[in-house]
Amino acid sequence: MKILSTVAALLASTSLVSAGEIWVTNEKDDTVSVISTETLEVIKTYETGERPRGILFSKDYSRVYICASDSNAVQVMDPNTGKILNDLPSGDDPEQFVLHPNDRHLYIANEDDAITTVVDTESRKVIAQIDVGVEPEGMAVSPDGKIAITTSETTNMAHWIDTETQKLFANTLVDSRPRHAEFVKEGTEMWVSSEIGGTITVFDASNQAEKAKISFEVQGVHPDRVQPVGFEFAAGDTHAFVALGPSNHVAVVNADTYEVEDYILVGRRVWHMDFNEDRSLLFTTNGVSGDVTVIDVASRKAIKTIKVGRFPWGAAYRPSPS
């Protein structure tokens, strides 16, 4: 009874200030599940193209972009109706993408073609295709919009792109199979997770020099199953929450010391995640168990499991429509 009352109190305290939705792509169902951050229940399910993975919103949340990988398209959906408005020319097998701060240029990793495609979302035209390493996946863009990053799984590199010229200006080695990238601390650092290498590499964004290497060790879990993939940062970039794949845990990393402070047990094969509006709750996508774990950030405890579609992959927050 005490556990139940604690969970109820957490939900009551967060729901007052964090109304919104978490959108989750389901790879095997070709759908997105929409979760209320107030009730922590699925409130809508919309159909998408084949094998949806990456997902993000326009700045004003009037459009949601979805990587329909097996449809070879980035789909643009009206989030109020679930209607597909149009497809963007994404290149083959789009997996992840990032929207430039100008809210117009979409940088897309094309896994099968070893390129990054840049699409103008207004004209719906390709404005650049940039050769990168083999099997590109992770994408990031600096807060000032001057640098885009593509990570390549097989080449084991982060590729640094000048967004004015749309050309590479640096390539930096990381450990095996890089998955996700993020600029943090107002763009001064760039983090890359390496799934098979089992690490996160931290770079100084000003000179592309390696600053730190973060490793993970989950008690009772074989090292081969500790595979960092998606990660997100708490308010103020004080801590990173890192999905560790088939280890079924999320790591909590101090972003100043680069030390791992905690591990949180979640669902099976945790992949990506996103926060609610005030970052008091974190929602993780657990592919094999087909659910989303809700983590209370302050206590670093999992407080609820929400069943979604088959093989949930990506997650993105949207405020509740007014």
Side-chain angles (χ1 to χ4, degrees), residues 38-39 76 80 144 270 295:
E38 291 183 280
T39 65
V76 185
N80 293 319
D144 62 8
V270 56
I295 295 171

Side-chain angles (χ1 to χ4, degrees), residues 20-41:
E21 301 166 347
I22 297 292
W23 285 54
V24 173
T25 53
N26 301 304
E27 280 192 274
K28 297 287 188 180
D29 282 352
D30 301 338
T31 61
V32 290
S33 299
V34 183
I35 297 169
S36 166
T37 61
E38 291 183 280
T39 65
L40 305 187
E41 302 288 347

Side-chain angles (χ1 to χ4, degrees), residues 124-175:
R124 303 180 200 169
K125 294 181 178 179
V126 173
I127 60 174
Q129 287 194 309
I130 305 159
D131 290 328
V132 291
V134 180
E135 291 190 289
E137 174 160 342
M139 293 297 313
V141 65
S142 59
D144 62 8
K146 293 181 178 180
I147 302 171
I149 299 291
T150 301
T151 66
S152 53
E153 292 182 53
T154 301
T155 310
N156 300 326
M157 282 185 173
H159 308 281
W160 302 68
I161 299 167
D162 182 322
T163 59
E164 183 174 348
T165 64
Q166 309 295 6
K167 295 184 182 299
L168 295 180
F169 68 89
N171 299 288
T172 49
L173 283 170
V174 294
D175 290 332

Side-chain angles (χ1 to χ4, degrees), residues 12 16 39 50 62 90 96 101 134 148 159 193 208 228 261 267 280 322:
L16 294 176
T39 65
E50 295 179 11
S62 65
S90 68
Q96 287 205 66
V134 180
H159 308 281
S193 64
Q208 301 85 56
E261 294 183 352
S280 61
S322 55

Side-chain angles (χ1 to χ4, degrees), residues 20-37 40-48 52-53 55 57 64 66 77 79 82 283-285 290-292 306-318:
E21 301 166 347
I22 297 292
W23 285 54
V24 173
T25 53
N26 301 304
E27 280 192 274
K28 297 287 188 180
D29 282 352
D30 301 338
T31 61
V32 290
S33 299
V34 183
I35 297 169
S36 166
T37 61
L40 305 187
E41 302 288 347
V42 174
I43 54 175
K44 300 170 189 171
T45 302
Y46 295 127
E47 294 184 358
T48 67
R53 291 191 278 184
I55 183 170
F57 285 89
V64 56
I66 300 165
M77 179 184 285
F283 297 75
T284 74
T285 60
D291 52 34
V292 167
I306 305 168
K307 199 68 178 174
V308 288
R310 293 180 299 160
F311 277 72
W313 196 94
Y317 171 77
R318 178 198 184 211

Side-chain angles (χ1 to χ4, degrees), residues 245-304:
S247 76
N248 307 333
H249 282 77
V250 168
V252 184
V253 179
N254 186 305
D256 293 322
T257 66
Y258 311 117
E259 298 293 326
V260 180
E261 294 183 352
D262 213 345
Y263 293 99
I264 305 166
L265 180 65
V266 293
R268 297 173 61 198
R269 203 217 69 169
V270 56
W271 207 248
H272 282 289
M273 63 191 76
D274 205 356
F275 291 95
N276 64 345
E277 186 169 15
D278 65 1
R279 303 204 171 200
S280 61
L281 297 177
L282 180 65
F283 297 75
T284 74
T285 60
N286 312 315
V288 174
S289 52
D291 52 34
V292 167
T293 299
V294 185
I295 295 171
D296 175 69
V297 173
S299 66
R300 299 180 183 174
K301 301 291 185 185
I303 61 172
K304 186 168 183 179

Side-chain angles (χ1 to χ4, degrees), residues 56 96-100 105-109 139-141 148-149:
L56 56 80
Q96 287 205 66
F97 49 14
V98 67
L99 188 62
H100 191 277
H105 294 157
L106 202 61
Y107 285 74
I108 306 164
M139 293 297 313
V141 65
I149 299 291

